mmCIF file of all heavy atoms in Angstrom:
data_model
loop_
_atom_site.group_PDB
_atom_site.id
_atom_site.type_symbol
_atom_site.label_atom_id
_atom_site.label_comp_id
_atom_site.label_asym_id
_atom_site.label_seq_id
_atom_site.Cartn_x
_atom_site.Cartn_y
_atom_site.Cartn_z
ATOM 1 N N HIS A 74 81.877 81.594 93.063
ATOM 2 C CA HIS A 74 83.319 81.348 92.979
ATOM 3 C C HIS A 74 83.972 81.277 94.354
ATOM 4 O O HIS A 74 84.997 80.626 94.526
ATOM 5 C CB HIS A 74 83.982 82.440 92.137
ATOM 6 C CG HIS A 74 83.670 82.339 90.676
ATOM 7 N ND1 HIS A 74 83.660 83.426 89.839
ATOM 8 C CD2 HIS A 74 83.359 81.274 89.908
ATOM 9 C CE1 HIS A 74 83.358 83.028 88.616
ATOM 10 N NE2 HIS A 74 83.156 81.729 88.622
ATOM 11 N N THR A 75 83.397 81.965 95.320
ATOM 12 C CA THR A 75 83.951 81.945 96.674
ATOM 13 C C THR A 75 83.789 80.546 97.287
ATOM 14 O O THR A 75 84.736 79.978 97.825
ATOM 15 C CB THR A 75 83.274 83.032 97.536
ATOM 16 O OG1 THR A 75 83.524 84.295 96.924
ATOM 17 C CG2 THR A 75 83.806 83.037 98.953
ATOM 18 N N TYR A 76 82.581 79.993 97.154
ATOM 19 C CA TYR A 76 82.369 78.613 97.608
ATOM 20 C C TYR A 76 83.275 77.651 96.839
ATOM 21 O O TYR A 76 83.871 76.740 97.401
ATOM 22 C CB TYR A 76 80.911 78.179 97.375
ATOM 23 C CG TYR A 76 79.920 78.740 98.372
ATOM 24 C CD1 TYR A 76 79.135 79.843 98.067
ATOM 25 C CD2 TYR A 76 79.765 78.136 99.616
ATOM 26 C CE1 TYR A 76 78.209 80.347 98.966
ATOM 27 C CE2 TYR A 76 78.841 78.632 100.529
ATOM 28 C CZ TYR A 76 78.067 79.735 100.196
ATOM 29 O OH TYR A 76 77.160 80.223 101.097
ATOM 30 N N GLU A 77 83.349 77.876 95.541
ATOM 31 C CA GLU A 77 84.114 76.947 94.699
ATOM 32 C C GLU A 77 85.593 76.949 95.033
ATOM 33 O O GLU A 77 86.238 75.908 95.051
ATOM 34 C CB GLU A 77 83.920 77.304 93.217
ATOM 35 C CG GLU A 77 82.522 76.956 92.725
ATOM 36 C CD GLU A 77 82.263 77.373 91.277
ATOM 37 O OE1 GLU A 77 83.148 78.014 90.659
ATOM 38 O OE2 GLU A 77 81.173 77.068 90.776
ATOM 39 N N LEU A 78 86.123 78.138 95.306
ATOM 40 C CA LEU A 78 87.545 78.202 95.614
ATOM 41 C C LEU A 78 87.835 77.518 96.951
ATOM 42 O O LEU A 78 88.823 76.795 97.085
ATOM 43 C CB LEU A 78 88.032 79.659 95.624
ATOM 44 C CG LEU A 78 89.520 79.877 95.874
ATOM 45 C CD1 LEU A 78 90.384 79.063 94.919
ATOM 46 C CD2 LEU A 78 89.874 81.363 95.740
ATOM 47 N N LEU A 79 86.958 77.711 97.900
ATOM 48 C CA LEU A 79 87.144 77.024 99.179
ATOM 49 C C LEU A 79 87.085 75.506 98.969
ATOM 50 O O LEU A 79 87.905 74.755 99.513
ATOM 51 C CB LEU A 79 86.078 77.472 100.187
ATOM 52 C CG LEU A 79 86.212 76.864 101.576
ATOM 53 C CD1 LEU A 79 87.516 77.298 102.239
ATOM 54 C CD2 LEU A 79 85.035 77.251 102.468
ATOM 55 N N ALA A 80 86.153 75.065 98.149
ATOM 56 C CA ALA A 80 86.039 73.631 97.861
ATOM 57 C C ALA A 80 87.310 73.110 97.177
ATOM 58 O O ALA A 80 87.767 71.997 97.436
ATOM 59 C CB ALA A 80 84.821 73.360 96.979
ATOM 60 N N LEU A 81 87.874 73.949 96.349
ATOM 61 C CA LEU A 81 89.105 73.562 95.652
ATOM 62 C C LEU A 81 90.282 73.445 96.623
ATOM 63 O O LEU A 81 91.092 72.523 96.535
ATOM 64 C CB LEU A 81 89.398 74.618 94.586
ATOM 65 C CG LEU A 81 90.103 74.194 93.320
ATOM 66 C CD1 LEU A 81 89.447 73.007 92.658
ATOM 67 C CD2 LEU A 81 90.126 75.372 92.350
ATOM 68 N N TYR A 82 90.379 74.387 97.563
ATOM 69 C CA TYR A 82 91.418 74.299 98.591
ATOM 70 C C TYR A 82 91.320 72.945 99.292
ATOM 71 O O TYR A 82 92.301 72.243 99.485
ATOM 72 C CB TYR A 82 91.228 75.390 99.657
ATOM 73 C CG TYR A 82 91.620 76.817 99.303
ATOM 74 C CD1 TYR A 82 92.143 77.154 98.071
ATOM 75 C CD2 TYR A 82 91.464 77.832 100.241
ATOM 76 C CE1 TYR A 82 92.495 78.474 97.782
ATOM 77 C CE2 TYR A 82 91.817 79.150 99.961
ATOM 78 C CZ TYR A 82 92.329 79.464 98.729
ATOM 79 O OH TYR A 82 92.677 80.764 98.460
ATOM 80 N N LEU A 83 90.084 72.613 99.680
ATOM 81 C CA LEU A 83 89.872 71.378 100.439
ATOM 82 C C LEU A 83 90.151 70.158 99.568
ATOM 83 O O LEU A 83 90.804 69.212 100.002
ATOM 84 C CB LEU A 83 88.442 71.345 100.982
ATOM 85 C CG LEU A 83 88.121 72.425 102.021
ATOM 86 C CD1 LEU A 83 86.615 72.612 102.161
ATOM 87 C CD2 LEU A 83 88.740 72.078 103.376
ATOM 88 N N ALA A 84 89.686 70.207 98.324
ATOM 89 C CA ALA A 84 89.883 69.071 97.420
ATOM 90 C C ALA A 84 91.364 68.853 97.131
ATOM 91 O O ALA A 84 91.811 67.726 96.932
ATOM 92 C CB ALA A 84 89.127 69.298 96.114
ATOM 93 N N ALA A 85 92.125 69.933 97.137
ATOM 94 C CA ALA A 85 93.560 69.819 96.868
ATOM 95 C C ALA A 85 94.306 69.208 98.056
ATOM 96 O O ALA A 85 95.482 68.885 97.949
ATOM 97 C CB ALA A 85 94.138 71.188 96.540
ATOM 98 N N GLY A 86 93.627 69.085 99.184
ATOM 99 C CA GLY A 86 94.249 68.418 100.319
ATOM 100 C C GLY A 86 94.612 69.349 101.461
ATOM 101 O O GLY A 86 95.366 68.962 102.363
ATOM 102 N N ILE A 87 94.115 70.548 101.432
ATOM 103 C CA ILE A 87 94.363 71.433 102.567
ATOM 104 C C ILE A 87 93.409 71.033 103.689
ATOM 105 O O ILE A 87 92.199 70.936 103.487
ATOM 106 C CB ILE A 87 94.199 72.905 102.161
ATOM 107 C CG1 ILE A 87 95.281 73.229 101.124
ATOM 108 C CG2 ILE A 87 94.324 73.820 103.364
ATOM 109 C CD1 ILE A 87 95.074 74.521 100.420
ATOM 110 N N ASP A 88 93.994 70.777 104.834
ATOM 111 C CA ASP A 88 93.261 70.164 105.938
ATOM 112 C C ASP A 88 92.740 71.244 106.897
ATOM 113 O O ASP A 88 93.530 71.938 107.544
ATOM 114 C CB ASP A 88 94.231 69.216 106.673
ATOM 115 C CG ASP A 88 93.566 68.501 107.830
ATOM 116 O OD1 ASP A 88 92.415 68.830 108.174
ATOM 117 O OD2 ASP A 88 94.222 67.610 108.401
ATOM 118 N N PRO A 89 91.427 71.383 106.984
ATOM 119 C CA PRO A 89 90.872 72.444 107.837
ATOM 120 C C PRO A 89 91.127 72.206 109.328
ATOM 121 O O PRO A 89 90.915 73.105 110.142
ATOM 122 C CB PRO A 89 89.374 72.409 107.526
ATOM 123 C CG PRO A 89 89.112 71.061 106.973
ATOM 124 C CD PRO A 89 90.377 70.592 106.327
ATOM 125 N N GLU A 90 91.577 71.009 109.669
ATOM 126 C CA GLU A 90 91.946 70.755 111.070
ATOM 127 C C GLU A 90 93.330 71.332 111.365
ATOM 128 O O GLU A 90 93.670 71.615 112.506
ATOM 129 C CB GLU A 90 91.989 69.245 111.356
ATOM 130 C CG GLU A 90 90.678 68.512 111.103
ATOM 131 C CD GLU A 90 89.622 68.879 112.139
ATOM 132 O OE1 GLU A 90 90.000 69.064 113.318
ATOM 133 O OE2 GLU A 90 88.438 68.992 111.763
ATOM 134 N N LYS A 91 94.132 71.437 110.321
ATOM 135 C CA LYS A 91 95.506 71.904 110.504
ATOM 136 C C LYS A 91 95.659 73.381 110.183
ATOM 137 O O LYS A 91 96.548 74.049 110.705
ATOM 138 C CB LYS A 91 96.449 71.124 109.575
ATOM 139 C CG LYS A 91 96.647 69.665 109.935
ATOM 140 C CD LYS A 91 97.977 69.178 109.365
ATOM 141 C CE LYS A 91 98.329 67.790 109.848
ATOM 142 N NZ LYS A 91 97.859 66.765 108.924
ATOM 143 N N CYS A 92 94.839 73.871 109.256
ATOM 144 C CA CYS A 92 95.021 75.238 108.741
ATOM 145 C C CYS A 92 93.788 76.074 109.043
ATOM 146 O O CYS A 92 92.706 75.534 109.248
ATOM 147 C CB CYS A 92 95.177 75.223 107.226
ATOM 148 S SG CYS A 92 96.412 74.087 106.625
ATOM 149 N N ILE A 93 93.975 77.361 109.001
ATOM 150 C CA ILE A 93 92.806 78.251 109.049
ATOM 151 C C ILE A 93 92.437 78.588 107.610
ATOM 152 O O ILE A 93 93.264 79.101 106.851
ATOM 153 C CB ILE A 93 93.125 79.535 109.838
ATOM 154 C CG1 ILE A 93 93.500 79.199 111.286
ATOM 155 C CG2 ILE A 93 91.943 80.496 109.784
ATOM 156 C CD1 ILE A 93 93.893 80.417 112.126
ATOM 157 N N LEU A 94 91.206 78.252 107.249
ATOM 158 C CA LEU A 94 90.707 78.574 105.913
ATOM 159 C C LEU A 94 89.566 79.547 106.088
ATOM 160 O O LEU A 94 88.617 79.266 106.823
ATOM 161 C CB LEU A 94 90.178 77.305 105.233
ATOM 162 C CG LEU A 94 91.194 76.227 104.896
ATOM 163 C CD1 LEU A 94 90.487 74.979 104.376
ATOM 164 C CD2 LEU A 94 92.160 76.739 103.850
ATOM 165 N N PHE A 95 89.641 80.689 105.424
ATOM 166 C CA PHE A 95 88.564 81.655 105.632
ATOM 167 C C PHE A 95 88.410 82.586 104.438
ATOM 168 O O PHE A 95 89.228 82.600 103.526
ATOM 169 C CB PHE A 95 88.797 82.454 106.917
ATOM 170 C CG PHE A 95 89.849 83.525 106.795
ATOM 171 C CD1 PHE A 95 89.499 84.866 106.745
ATOM 172 C CD2 PHE A 95 91.196 83.193 106.709
ATOM 173 C CE1 PHE A 95 90.460 85.858 106.630
ATOM 174 C CE2 PHE A 95 92.166 84.178 106.581
ATOM 175 C CZ PHE A 95 91.801 85.516 106.545
ATOM 176 N N VAL A 96 87.332 83.349 104.491
ATOM 177 C CA VAL A 96 87.020 84.313 103.435
ATOM 178 C C VAL A 96 87.358 85.707 103.957
ATOM 179 O O VAL A 96 86.931 86.099 105.047
ATOM 180 C CB VAL A 96 85.521 84.210 103.054
ATOM 181 C CG1 VAL A 96 85.154 85.262 102.024
ATOM 182 C CG2 VAL A 96 85.202 82.800 102.533
ATOM 183 N N GLN A 97 88.109 86.423 103.171
ATOM 184 C CA GLN A 97 88.655 87.725 103.590
ATOM 185 C C GLN A 97 87.584 88.687 104.132
ATOM 186 O O GLN A 97 87.764 89.288 105.192
ATOM 187 C CB GLN A 97 89.344 88.348 102.371
ATOM 188 C CG GLN A 97 90.167 89.579 102.620
ATOM 189 C CD GLN A 97 90.714 90.103 101.286
ATOM 190 O OE1 GLN A 97 90.092 89.922 100.241
ATOM 191 N NE2 GLN A 97 91.865 90.736 101.325
ATOM 192 N N SER A 98 86.461 88.798 103.448
ATOM 193 C CA SER A 98 85.452 89.785 103.869
ATOM 194 C C SER A 98 84.765 89.388 105.180
ATOM 195 O O SER A 98 84.042 90.190 105.761
ATOM 196 C CB SER A 98 84.401 89.994 102.777
ATOM 197 O OG SER A 98 83.683 88.798 102.563
ATOM 198 N N HIS A 99 84.982 88.151 105.639
ATOM 199 C CA HIS A 99 84.388 87.719 106.907
ATOM 200 C C HIS A 99 85.175 88.224 108.120
ATOM 201 O O HIS A 99 84.710 88.117 109.250
ATOM 202 C CB HIS A 99 84.298 86.186 106.972
ATOM 203 C CG HIS A 99 83.325 85.625 105.977
ATOM 204 N ND1 HIS A 99 83.095 84.281 105.826
ATOM 205 C CD2 HIS A 99 82.525 86.236 105.073
ATOM 206 C CE1 HIS A 99 82.198 84.082 104.880
ATOM 207 N NE2 HIS A 99 81.841 85.253 104.404
ATOM 208 N N VAL A 100 86.376 88.719 107.872
ATOM 209 C CA VAL A 100 87.194 89.226 108.984
ATOM 210 C C VAL A 100 87.413 90.727 108.757
ATOM 211 O O VAL A 100 88.224 91.129 107.926
ATOM 212 C CB VAL A 100 88.543 88.471 109.064
ATOM 213 C CG1 VAL A 100 89.429 89.057 110.156
ATOM 214 C CG2 VAL A 100 88.309 86.986 109.321
ATOM 215 N N PRO A 101 86.668 91.556 109.483
ATOM 216 C CA PRO A 101 86.696 92.999 109.206
ATOM 217 C C PRO A 101 88.072 93.633 109.406
ATOM 218 O O PRO A 101 88.346 94.704 108.867
ATOM 219 C CB PRO A 101 85.667 93.575 110.193
ATOM 220 C CG PRO A 101 85.369 92.489 111.163
ATOM 221 C CD PRO A 101 85.689 91.194 110.511
ATOM 222 N N GLY A 102 88.924 92.973 110.171
ATOM 223 C CA GLY A 102 90.265 93.514 110.413
ATOM 224 C C GLY A 102 91.052 93.810 109.143
ATOM 225 O O GLY A 102 91.920 94.680 109.129
ATOM 226 N N HIS A 103 90.747 93.085 108.062
ATOM 227 C CA HIS A 103 91.498 93.319 106.818
ATOM 228 C C HIS A 103 91.238 94.719 106.279
ATOM 229 O O HIS A 103 92.167 95.437 105.905
ATOM 230 C CB HIS A 103 91.146 92.247 105.774
ATOM 231 C CG HIS A 103 91.648 90.895 106.153
ATOM 232 N ND1 HIS A 103 92.691 90.278 105.507
ATOM 233 C CD2 HIS A 103 91.271 90.052 107.145
ATOM 234 C CE1 HIS A 103 92.931 89.098 106.080
ATOM 235 N NE2 HIS A 103 92.072 88.943 107.077
ATOM 236 N N ALA A 104 89.961 95.090 106.251
ATOM 237 C CA ALA A 104 89.623 96.429 105.763
ATOM 238 C C ALA A 104 90.125 97.492 106.750
ATOM 239 O O ALA A 104 90.615 98.553 106.355
ATOM 240 C CB ALA A 104 88.113 96.547 105.589
ATOM 241 N N GLN A 105 90.002 97.177 108.026
ATOM 242 C CA GLN A 105 90.401 98.160 109.043
ATOM 243 C C GLN A 105 91.907 98.429 109.020
ATOM 244 O O GLN A 105 92.349 99.568 109.024
ATOM 245 C CB GLN A 105 89.971 97.659 110.432
ATOM 246 C CG GLN A 105 88.464 97.636 110.594
ATOM 247 C CD GLN A 105 88.045 96.873 111.852
ATOM 248 O OE1 GLN A 105 88.402 95.711 112.051
ATOM 249 N NE2 GLN A 105 87.279 97.527 112.692
ATOM 250 N N LEU A 106 92.684 97.351 108.979
ATOM 251 C CA LEU A 106 94.133 97.558 108.964
ATOM 252 C C LEU A 106 94.564 98.184 107.642
ATOM 253 O O LEU A 106 95.497 98.987 107.590
ATOM 254 C CB LEU A 106 94.886 96.238 109.196
ATOM 255 C CG LEU A 106 96.411 96.405 109.268
ATOM 256 C CD1 LEU A 106 96.826 97.303 110.438
ATOM 257 C CD2 LEU A 106 97.126 95.062 109.366
ATOM 258 N N SER A 107 93.861 97.825 106.598
ATOM 259 C CA SER A 107 94.195 98.364 105.283
ATOM 260 C C SER A 107 94.100 99.897 105.294
ATOM 261 O O SER A 107 94.943 100.592 104.722
ATOM 262 C CB SER A 107 93.261 97.758 104.244
ATOM 263 O OG SER A 107 93.563 98.243 102.984
ATOM 264 N N TRP A 108 93.067 100.409 105.941
ATOM 265 C CA TRP A 108 92.952 101.871 106.007
ATOM 266 C C TRP A 108 94.159 102.483 106.723
ATOM 267 O O TRP A 108 94.761 103.440 106.261
ATOM 268 C CB TRP A 108 91.654 102.317 106.702
ATOM 269 C CG TRP A 108 91.685 103.791 106.869
ATOM 270 C CD1 TRP A 108 91.982 104.475 108.008
ATOM 271 C CD2 TRP A 108 91.545 104.764 105.830
ATOM 272 N NE1 TRP A 108 92.012 105.832 107.750
ATOM 273 C CE2 TRP A 108 91.745 106.036 106.415
ATOM 274 C CE3 TRP A 108 91.267 104.685 104.460
ATOM 275 C CZ2 TRP A 108 91.681 107.217 105.690
ATOM 276 C CZ3 TRP A 108 91.197 105.865 103.731
ATOM 277 C CH2 TRP A 108 91.402 107.106 104.344
ATOM 278 N N VAL A 109 94.487 101.877 107.852
ATOM 279 C CA VAL A 109 95.619 102.410 108.624
ATOM 280 C C VAL A 109 96.896 102.360 107.785
ATOM 281 O O VAL A 109 97.609 103.355 107.649
ATOM 282 C CB VAL A 109 95.806 101.620 109.939
ATOM 283 C CG1 VAL A 109 97.078 102.057 110.653
ATOM 284 C CG2 VAL A 109 94.587 101.802 110.855
ATOM 285 N N LEU A 110 97.156 101.218 107.203
ATOM 286 C CA LEU A 110 98.412 101.060 106.447
ATOM 287 C C LEU A 110 98.467 101.994 105.235
ATOM 288 O O LEU A 110 99.548 102.431 104.837
ATOM 289 C CB LEU A 110 98.591 99.605 105.988
ATOM 290 C CG LEU A 110 98.755 98.559 107.099
ATOM 291 C CD1 LEU A 110 98.934 97.176 106.486
ATOM 292 C CD2 LEU A 110 99.934 98.900 108.017
ATOM 293 N N GLY A 111 97.295 102.301 104.699
ATOM 294 C CA GLY A 111 97.254 103.231 103.566
ATOM 295 C C GLY A 111 97.841 104.587 103.921
ATOM 296 O O GLY A 111 98.371 105.298 103.065
ATOM 297 N N CYS A 112 97.768 104.919 105.184
ATOM 298 C CA CYS A 112 98.315 106.195 105.647
ATOM 299 C C CYS A 112 99.822 106.120 105.873
ATOM 300 O O CYS A 112 100.455 107.109 106.258
ATOM 301 C CB CYS A 112 97.594 106.641 106.918
ATOM 302 S SG CYS A 112 95.817 106.803 106.667
ATOM 303 N N TYR A 113 100.366 104.943 105.651
ATOM 304 C CA TYR A 113 101.823 104.757 105.754
ATOM 305 C C TYR A 113 102.378 104.211 104.439
ATOM 306 O O TYR A 113 103.398 103.541 104.421
ATOM 307 C CB TYR A 113 102.162 103.817 106.930
ATOM 308 C CG TYR A 113 101.653 104.362 108.243
ATOM 309 C CD1 TYR A 113 100.311 104.198 108.603
ATOM 310 C CD2 TYR A 113 102.487 105.101 109.088
ATOM 311 C CE1 TYR A 113 99.815 104.738 109.784
ATOM 312 C CE2 TYR A 113 101.999 105.641 110.268
ATOM 313 C CZ TYR A 113 100.669 105.456 110.611
ATOM 314 O OH TYR A 113 100.188 105.995 111.771
ATOM 315 N N THR A 114 101.646 104.472 103.389
ATOM 316 C CA THR A 114 102.065 104.015 102.060
ATOM 317 C C THR A 114 102.064 105.233 101.147
ATOM 318 O O THR A 114 101.147 106.051 101.214
ATOM 319 C CB THR A 114 101.059 102.975 101.509
ATOM 320 O OG1 THR A 114 100.865 101.963 102.493
ATOM 321 C CG2 THR A 114 101.563 102.348 100.223
ATOM 322 N N MET A 115 103.085 105.347 100.338
ATOM 323 C CA MET A 115 103.229 106.552 99.514
ATOM 324 C C MET A 115 102.554 106.383 98.152
ATOM 325 O O MET A 115 102.604 105.307 97.555
ATOM 326 C CB MET A 115 104.722 106.861 99.322
ATOM 327 C CG MET A 115 105.433 107.151 100.624
ATOM 328 S SD MET A 115 104.669 108.542 101.481
ATOM 329 C CE MET A 115 104.618 107.904 103.139
ATOM 330 N N PHE A 116 101.971 107.469 97.705
ATOM 331 C CA PHE A 116 101.341 107.497 96.387
ATOM 332 C C PHE A 116 102.322 107.016 95.310
ATOM 333 O O PHE A 116 101.987 106.202 94.458
ATOM 334 C CB PHE A 116 100.872 108.925 96.079
ATOM 335 C CG PHE A 116 100.123 109.046 94.791
ATOM 336 C CD1 PHE A 116 98.755 108.838 94.753
ATOM 337 C CD2 PHE A 116 100.797 109.353 93.613
ATOM 338 C CE1 PHE A 116 98.064 108.943 93.551
ATOM 339 C CE2 PHE A 116 100.107 109.455 92.418
ATOM 340 C CZ PHE A 116 98.739 109.247 92.386
ATOM 341 N N GLY A 117 103.541 107.504 95.415
ATOM 342 C CA GLY A 117 104.565 107.141 94.424
ATOM 343 C C GLY A 117 104.853 105.653 94.413
ATOM 344 O O GLY A 117 105.009 105.046 93.354
ATOM 345 N N GLU A 118 104.906 105.072 95.612
ATOM 346 C CA GLU A 118 105.177 103.626 95.700
ATOM 347 C C GLU A 118 104.099 102.830 94.977
ATOM 348 O O GLU A 118 104.389 101.898 94.235
ATOM 349 C CB GLU A 118 105.192 103.184 97.179
ATOM 350 C CG GLU A 118 106.424 103.613 97.935
ATOM 351 C CD GLU A 118 106.337 103.370 99.447
ATOM 352 O OE1 GLU A 118 105.232 103.357 100.023
ATOM 353 O OE2 GLU A 118 107.405 103.199 100.041
ATOM 354 N N LEU A 119 102.859 103.209 95.225
ATOM 355 C CA LEU A 119 101.754 102.470 94.600
ATOM 356 C C LEU A 119 101.733 102.687 93.087
ATOM 357 O O LEU A 119 101.367 101.794 92.327
ATOM 358 C CB LEU A 119 100.415 102.873 95.230
ATOM 359 C CG LEU A 119 100.230 102.459 96.690
ATOM 360 C CD1 LEU A 119 98.916 103.013 97.235
ATOM 361 C CD2 LEU A 119 100.249 100.943 96.841
ATOM 362 N N SER A 120 102.139 103.885 92.668
ATOM 363 C CA SER A 120 102.138 104.176 91.222
ATOM 364 C C SER A 120 103.140 103.315 90.465
ATOM 365 O O SER A 120 103.001 103.114 89.275
ATOM 366 C CB SER A 120 102.500 105.632 90.941
ATOM 367 O OG SER A 120 101.915 106.478 91.871
#
Side-chain angles (χ1 to χ4, degrees):
H74 288 152
T75 300
Y76 283 100
E77 288 177 356
L78 183 53
L79 182 64
L81 211 51
Y82 284 0
L83 295 162
I87 296 167
D88 181 352
E90 301 290 323
K91 291 204 172 93
C92 309
I93 299 177
L94 294 174
F95 76 107
V96 176
Q97 190 183 29
S98 64
H99 293 179
V100 176
H103 292 251
Q105 292 168 305
L106 183 62
S107 181
W108 174 259
V109 173
L110 296 181
C112 302
Y113 301 81
T114 309
M115 298 302 136
F116 184 87
E118 286 171 333
L119 293 175
S120 320

